[in-house]
Amino acid sequence: MHRERVSENVYWFQSDVYAQVTAGVIVGPQWAVVIDTLALPDETLGMREFIEHELGVPVRYVINTHYHADHSWGNCFFPGATIIAHTRCRELLIERGIPSLESASKQNAALKQVKIVLPHMTFGRGEMTLRVGKKNLTLMTALGHSDDGISVLAEEDRVLFAGDAFMPVPYIVDGNVEDIVASTKRISRMGLENIVQGHGDIILRGEIEAAIKENLNYISAIKKAVRTAARRKDPIEYLEGVRIEDCGKSRVYLGGLAVSLHERNLRALLYHVQSGKDLE
Ligand SMILES: [Zn+2]
């Protein structure tokens, strides 16, 4: 696991083993707030070890940016912490998280120690503020990657923990394309120093504008490709020819996962159009 200080009392972590997934911690004088847990128990425990022993504080709150396994299944390693998430995140963990952990733990012995811990405190719209020492954290809904997304802004530091609402390749299969455009545009107006994406590397101030543009262009490009495909006799065959580079993204992103995310985006959008929905 990679670990780095972003600004005073703000750190981020990145997994070496699963899809470059990230997490964060904001440290106050008496306790810390964790933003997301990592994919596998060992890494989440490593993060807790660092917070408790090197930073010297317990974790009082864990914020889940959404219900996907690689962001929320480590809640159980922070016993006693209050878990905060979107209201829909709690529902999705019940509907999908619990059954999917049950089947995943049959394949992966490391998951046997995992238990889904449901969020204790939730909100469904607007914002929520959490004060940690002298810092204000603003939690806000950030949909598009999923219907339960939230981002966390460290107000004074202008550091945004975006969750998967911002990724090196936007991924909308479990979400909605218009929502991700809205979330991305909102991020562009925040005046940020850094974006910690849900996966991939931290984005520095000088890179933010280009990253936002690249993501918005990517979304427009896949929408255009799918509109064209839908008019063809064999739309799937047409989409197979739409490479990630044609949409302005590199295939090396996310340790090689980028191409499969891209292909799944195209299929999901095509399905969306074929089931009679509009692609504006
Ligand atoms: Zn996700």
Side-chain angles (χ1 to χ4, degrees):
M1 176 183 56
H2 175 76
R3 184 185 73 223
E4 212 176 310
R5 181 181 171 279
V6 188
S7 67
E8 201 185 350
N9 294 323
V10 181
Y11 297 81
W12 77 291
F13 305 83
Q14 185 186 49
S15 172
D16 300 322
V17 290
Y18 182 77
Q20 297 175 356
V21 65
T22 70
V25 63
I26 288 112
V27 190
Q30 265 128 45
W31 42 266
V33 179
V34 160
I35 301 165
D36 278 349
T37 63
L38 294 167
L40 291 172
D42 280 354
E43 287 192 315
T44 303
L45 288 165
M47 178 163 86
R48 189 181 87 189
E49 169 84 19
F50 170 74
I51 298 166
E52 288 180 352
H53 295 108
E54 307 220 9
L55 303 175
V57 287
V59 173
R60 182 181 281 186
Y61 295 100
V62 175
I63 300 168
N64 292 147
T65 62
H66 61 299
Y67 79 102
H68 290 163
D70 47 343
H71 301 264
S72 69
W73 284 12
N75 288 354
C76 58
F77 301 111
F78 299 94
T82 299
I83 315 288
I84 306 175
H86 194 291
T87 310
R88 185 74 187 122
C89 175
R90 191 174 198 280
E91 295 167 359
L92 287 165
L93 278 170
I94 297 170
E95 287 165 25
R96 300 187 197 165
I98 292 170
S100 107
L101 172 61
E102 216 172 274
S103 62
S105 55
K106 286 183 192 130
Q107 331 262 319
N108 185 345
L111 294 176
K112 290 231 164 24
Q113 44 176 327
V114 173
K115 260 187 57 194
I116 302 277
V117 176
L118 298 175
H120 305 97
M121 199 186 280
T122 65
F123 67 107
R125 69 177 97 127
E127 297 184 344
M128 177 177 156
T129 306
L130 180 60
R131 198 168 162 86
V132 195
K134 292 195 171 106
K135 292 181 197 281
N136 284 295
L137 303 185
T138 304
L139 287 62
M140 59 196 97
T141 56
L143 309 182
H145 169 79
S146 59
D147 295 331
D148 67 336
I150 61 177
S151 296
V152 181
L153 176 64
E155 288 282 351
E156 293 76 8
D157 302 283
R158 307 313 295 166
V159 175
L160 182 73
F161 291 87
D164 288 359
F166 206 92
M167 285 174 60
V169 178
Y171 187 54
I172 45 95
V173 170
D174 193 24
N176 175 293
V177 74
E178 302 313 329
D179 286 342
I180 208 140
V181 169
S183 295
T184 308
K185 287 185 174 163
R186 186 167 174 212
I187 290 172
S188 76
R189 295 190 297 265
M190 283 184 190
L192 298 172
E193 283 294 324
N194 300 106
I195 301 174
V196 178
Q197 319 181 77
H199 295 258
D201 292 329
I202 191 166
I203 303 175
L204 308 177
R205 187 171 57 179
E207 306 164 337
I208 290 176
E209 206 185 313
I212 287 171
K213 226 173 169 180
E214 196 182 293
N215 280 9
L216 290 172
N217 287 344
Y218 173 76
I219 296 287
S220 311
I222 59 173
K223 279 164 65 175
K224 188 167 168 228
V226 168
R227 276 194 299 260
T228 308
R231 291 193 294 265
R232 298 290 170 109
K233 224 190 301 154
D234 190 344
I236 301 272
E237 192 193 0
Y238 177 82
L239 288 182
E240 277 166 1
V242 179
R243 295 170 313 147
I244 190 167
E245 290 84 359
D246 302 333
C247 303
K249 286 285 180 188
S250 159
R251 64 182 52 230
V252 306
Y253 282 145
L254 292 170
L257 265 181
V259 171
S260 87
L261 300 190
H262 169 68
E263 289 168 358
R264 281 183 260 162
N265 279 336
L266 292 175
R267 297 292 179 97
L269 277 187
L270 178 64
Y271 178 76
H272 186 82
V273 171
Q274 287 176 335
S275 49
K277 289 178 203 124
D278 252 4
L279 213 52
E280 194 190 287

